Amino acid sequence: MDRQPDRQSLTGATRPTRTTVADVTAPVVRRPRRAVAGVLAAAVLGGAALAGCSSDGKASSAVSSVAGAVESGLSAAASAAASAAASAASSVASGLSTAAASAAASAEAAASSAIASIKGGLDAKSDVTTGAVTIGSDGKASVPLTVKNSGQQSNRYVIQVNFTDGSGNVLDATAVTVPDVAAGQSAQATATSNRDLTGTVKAQVANAVRY
């Protein structure tokens, strides 16, 4: 069936304007991408530059921190080594001191025992005087003793002599026997240490008996 011609077209009248849906086949107006790309590139480069500055700052800070840590570690190691050396030296000195003290204690106990073994002995410390202590070529200390019998008869003497340091600590001890000192008479004897002694050494009569 043939389409009838529009009456308005036939009469020459103008058709009213109609609102129509946009033609999807029409070309799309595109915005220039180069300008946008340039802006984005500038932003990226600017960010990279800022990031680079920040990275350099962090790297510098990191290097400084590492250097500080290394210096601190070396200082701690040196301190630990010095502490270990001091501790080792102290241990050695302590060991030697302990051994010496033990030897001195043993010698003092033996000398005291010798005095205690005398039955019926009389205290005679006032009868004994000491001279100056000397250290012999063998390293042992010796001291001359003078015994004056204040009794009314001939007596024998057993004398305990302690060798001490300048502070009065006992370094060694020995017992000396002096036979048959006549009444009112004097006799000489020498007390010698059992082991080598060094430094300031003094001698004292710890005990003496006559019998």
Side-chain angles (χ1 to χ4, degrees):
M1 182 176 182
D2 295 336
R3 183 179 182 182
Q4 295 296 326
D6 189 18
R7 292 179 180 180
Q8 292 182 354
S9 297
L10 294 176
T11 59
T14 303
R15 294 181 179 179
T17 303
R18 297 180 180 178
T19 300
T20 62
V21 178
D23 186 357
V24 294
T25 62
V28 179
V29 178
R30 302 183 182 278
R31 296 180 181 179
R33 293 184 177 179
R34 292 183 179 179
V36 176
V39 173
L40 292 176
V44 171
L45 291 175
L50 292 177
C53 292
S54 176
S55 177
D56 289 344
K58 289 182 180 179
S60 177
S61 176
V63 170
S64 178
S65 297
V66 170
V70 170
E71 183 178 356
S72 177
L74 291 176
S75 177
S79 178
S83 178
S87 179
S90 178
S91 296
V92 171
S94 177
L96 292 176
S97 178
T98 300
S102 179
S106 296
E108 187 175 13
S112 179
S113 179
I115 296 293
S117 66
I118 305 300
K119 303 301 181 181
L122 300 175
D123 182 19
K125 285 180 65 175
S126 60
D127 289 356
V128 184
T129 58
T130 62
V133 176
T134 58
I135 305 297
S137 58
D138 59 356
K140 294 182 178 181
S142 61
V143 59
L145 305 175
T146 299
V147 181
K148 184 175 182 179
N149 186 357
S150 60
Q152 300 299 315
Q153 59 185 21
S154 178
N155 289 294
R156 296 179 179 181
Y157 287 78
V158 178
I159 305 163
Q160 177 185 343
V161 176
N162 288 352
F163 292 96
T164 66
D165 60 15
S167 300
N169 300 308
V170 177
L171 303 174
D172 199 1
T174 188
V176 178
T177 300
V178 182
D180 299 327
V181 180
Q185 299 299 308
S186 296
Q188 303 297 316
T190 301
T192 303
S193 66
N194 300 293
R195 60 190 185 85
D196 296 356
L197 300 178
T198 59
T200 300
V201 180
K202 297 181 179 181
Q204 64 178 17
V205 177
N207 204 354
V209 296
R210 65 173 186 260
Y211 60 100

